[in-house]
Amino acid sequence: MNYEDANKINRQEVEHDFSLLGFLIVENKLKEATSPVIDTLHKANVRTVMVTGDNVLTAISVARQCNIVKHGQKVYLGDLSEEKDVDGNDVVVW
């Protein structure tokens, strides 16, 4: 089954007659130096950005933990369009 087909399946069709065998929680804590370094960069007016291939919700959570994203601050998610602009450049879709 490919990704598109998996996204079209009704959740109830897939999740039935299951037995819970266990529950796993994984936590990847920030290094102690991370938040102070981010704070120093902010005080020096250095723009900080996060670029990651991680799950977007995980990335936002980590960014909030180390103050890259402040409480209540909006986060904008962009993606590259498959189409190029008239000059052949990538186009970011918001």
Side-chain angles (χ1 to χ4, degrees), residues 26-84:
V26 178
E27 181 180 15
N28 191 358
K29 293 185 177 188
L30 295 177
K31 294 178 183 173
E32 284 187 36
T34 301
S35 293
V37 168
I38 298 298
D39 290 340
T40 300
L41 292 171
H42 285 160
K43 288 175 186 171
N45 292 320
V46 175
R47 180 174 172 242
T48 55
V49 297
M50 178 185 292
V51 178
T52 180
D54 207 339
N55 175 288
V56 66
L57 295 177
T58 301
I60 292 170
S61 175
V62 169
R64 285 192 172 129
Q65 289 175 46
C66 65
N67 295 320
I68 290 175
V69 174
K70 305 288 186 227
H71 179 73
Q73 183 177 352
K74 291 181 180 180
V75 175
Y76 296 92
L77 305 175
D79 199 2
L80 290 179
S81 172
E82 292 183 17
E83 298 179 18
K84 306 281 186 182

